Amino acid sequence: MAFAQLGLNPFVVQAVEASGYTEPTAVQIQAIPATLEGVDLLVSSQTGSGKTAAFMLPCLHRLAEPSALPGRGPRVLVLTPTRELAQQVTRAAETYGKFLKRLRIVAAVGGAPLHVQAKLLSQPVDVVVATPGRLIDHLERGRIDFSRLETLILDEADRMLDMGFIDDIEAIIARTPQNRQTLLFSATLEGVVGRLAQRVTKNARRIEITTAPELKAKIEQRIHFADDFSHKSRLLDHLLRDTELSQALVFTATKKSADDLAVQLRGEGFSAEALHGDMNQRDRNRTLLALRQGRTRVLVATDVAARGIDVPGISHVINFDLPRQAEDYVHRIGRTGRAGREGIAISLAAHFEKRQIRDIERYTAQAIRVGVIPGLEPKARPARPEGFGDKRRTSAPRPTGGYGKGNGNGYGSKGGYGDRKAAFGEKRTSLGEKSGFGHREGTRPGSDKRSAPSGAKRRAYGNSY
Ligand code: AMP
C-alpha cells in the first residue's frame, strides 16, 4: 500500500515520501484512516512500529485546513512521558509538516526556560508536544487556551502512568474540550491504562499491533554471559572495538554506573558520554546532538534514554546491565535498527540472571542466542548466585569513583546483583508498583518534581535513574 492511498493531504504525503518511507507500517495502515474518520483510538503498538507518524500524519492533514474556531491555542496536543520523546515527536511533526504553510509547533518540556516557552505559547500555535509536569505549570499560569483543541494524543500512556503522571494527566484532560478526539498509544491497554482509557475516550476503537515485526527482521539479538564485572568490562571493550560498529548505546542500571562507565570507556580511548536524568536539559540536548552528529561513538545511558532516541547511526545496543522489566528491553533495543536499517542488540548477563532472560524471551516471543567470544568465554556457572557480586569485590579493580558497596549501581552488596530480590526478584506485575520508576524524570528541576513518587519501593528504585 502507498501513503497516497490513505487519504492524506498531498503535502503531508510529499513530506513522508521525502523522508524516504515508501510504505506505511501496520499501525499506520490502521490508525491513519481511523483518525481521519474522527473516532477515538486505543492503540497498542511497540516502539519502532512507526506509531509517531501514525498519529501525527492525520493530525497534520487536518492542520492543512484552517480551524473552524477562533483562538490561538493548540489544535493538537501530544503528551509524552519524557523530554527526549517529546523532542522526537516535535522533530517528526516538523519533518512531516514541512510543506504545510505557517505550521507552528511548540515543545513544552521540563528543563527548558519556562518564560521562553510561555512566550511561544502566547502566540498562535497548532501543535503542542509536552511532558505533563511542564504543561501543568503553563496551565496554572493561564498560558494555554485549549478552546480550539481538536485532538489529544497520549503517547506511551503506560509509561506516563508508570512514572506517576496520572494526576497531571487527569488535570490536563479536565481542561480540554469534551468533544475532542482522543488517541491513546500504549504498549499495553490492560490494567490502569485500560481504566484511564475508559475514562478519557468515547466509544474508542481498539487497534492492536501485538509485536513489532520490524524488530524480528532487523535486530539481531544475542547474550554473552559474564562471570564478574571485570569480565563484563572486557566483553564490552571487545564489542566496542568491532569494526562493524558505527555507534553504540550502552545501557546501565543506574545514573552513577552510567557516569562511571563513560569515564572508564573514555580512559580506554572511546569517545564516550553519559546520558541520564540527573543531567540538566541543556547537557542532555548537547549530548544527544553530539551523538546525532557522530561526534560521540558510545553513549552510556540509563532507561531514561530508552525512549525518544532516534539516531540512525546507532548500530549496536549493548545492555551492560539487563533491564529490570522485559518491556524496557524492547524499548532499549528499539534504539537500533531504526528507519529500515539493521541493528545488533547484545546483552551482558550474569549466570544467575537466566530467569530475567527467560522473562524477556517470553515477552518478546523470541529466543535470544547465546554468543561466546573466543578468549573471553565465561567460566562455569558459579555455585552460589551471590558469587557474582562477591567475586567482583575480590578480583575486579575498583575504578575511581567506584563500583563499591551500596553505591546503587547494581554491583554493591545492597540492592545489587548479589541481592537478587532487590535487583530483579520482585517482578513487578502491576503498573502501580512499577511507578517506582517515576524518578527517571524525577530529578527534573522545578515543575516535574511534583511527580516524584513516594513509598518504599519508590525509594528503593526511584533514584537510580
Ligand atoms: P516510532 O515507532 O514512531 O518511534 O518510529 C520508528 C522509526 O520508524 C522512526 O525512525 C521513523 O522515522 C521510522 N518510520 C516511521 N514510519 C515509517 C515507514 N512508513 N517506513 C519506514 N520507516 C518509518
Side-chain angles (χ1 to χ4, degrees), residues 3 21 23-25 28 46-53 88 96 310 338-340:
F3 274 101
Y21 308 145
E23 286 189 356
T25 63
Q28 292 163 1
Q46 304 280 5
T47 183
S49 59
K51 65 183 171 56
T52 312
Q88 187 190 316
Y96 302 139
D310 190 8
R338 307 292 287 175

Side-chain angles (χ1 to χ4, degrees), residues 63-280:
L63 294 176
E65 298 299 324
S67 170
L69 295 170
R72 17 172 74 200
R75 296 170 62 189
V76 175
L77 171 66
V78 186
L79 291 181
T80 74
T82 66
R83 302 166 190 173
E84 278 75 15
L85 185 58
Q87 282 160 348
Q88 187 190 316
V89 171
T90 305
R91 270 197 305 278
E94 285 164 357
T95 304
Y96 302 139
K98 67 180 174 184
F99 297 123
L100 299 182
K101 286 199 188 84
R102 291 186 295 278
L103 179 71
R104 287 138 309 185
I105 305 161
V106 176
V109 295
L114 199 66
H115 66 278
V116 177
Q117 284 170 7
K119 197 165 172 210
L120 291 170
L121 290 169
S122 67
Q123 292 154 19
V125 56
D126 298 299
V127 182
V128 169
V129 186
T131 46
R134 177 52 66 98
L135 189 65
I136 287 278
D137 275 348
H138 287 297
L139 282 171
E140 281 171 358
R141 287 170 172 74
R143 301 288 186 196
I144 302 192
D145 163 24
F146 282 142
S147 59
R148 60 173 200 160
L149 189 84
E150 296 162 26
T151 312
L152 166 72
I153 296 120
L154 303 174
D155 191 13
E156 304 204 353
D158 54 331
R159 183 52 46 129
M160 285 197 281
L161 297 185
D162 220 6
M163 292 172 70
F165 282 133
I166 183 73
D167 293 342
D168 288 350
I169 293 173
E170 303 243 15
I172 291 164
I173 293 179
R175 308 277 283 266
T176 62
Q178 287 278 350
N179 63 350
R180 63 170 194 273
Q181 180 182 33
T182 306
L183 313 177
L184 182 147
F185 285 73
S186 176
T188 169
L189 298 175
E190 310 309 322
V192 271
V193 181
R195 289 195 286 281
L196 173 75
Q198 245 173 7
R199 289 199 297 277
V200 304
T201 60
K202 287 191 217 93
N203 303 322
R205 197 175 295 168
R206 272 172 98 99
I207 295 178
E208 303 202 34
I209 309 290
T210 43
T211 55
E214 291 88 343
L215 218 66
K216 280 185 192 153
K218 294 189 308 201
I219 302 176
E220 178 196 326
Q221 302 171 59
R222 61 178 200 268
I223 287 172
H224 290 284
F225 282 102
D227 297 317
D228 52 26
F229 179 79
S230 150
H231 187 201
K232 250 193 192 186
S233 293
R234 280 180 282 125
L235 284 167
L236 179 64
D237 184 87
H238 176 91
L239 294 168
L240 292 177
R241 291 185 196 283
D242 181 350
T243 50
E244 302 278 290
L245 184 147
S246 52
Q247 283 180 298
L249 187 51
V250 178
F251 283 101
T252 60
T254 69
K255 296 181 271 204
K256 170 116 178 60
S257 44
D259 278 334
D260 290 342
L261 193 56
V263 169
Q264 183 183 317
L265 292 173
R266 281 202 293 276
E268 290 165 13
F270 296 104
S271 67
E273 294 294 338
L275 182 74
H276 54 68
D278 259 1
M279 293 160 62
N280 67 42

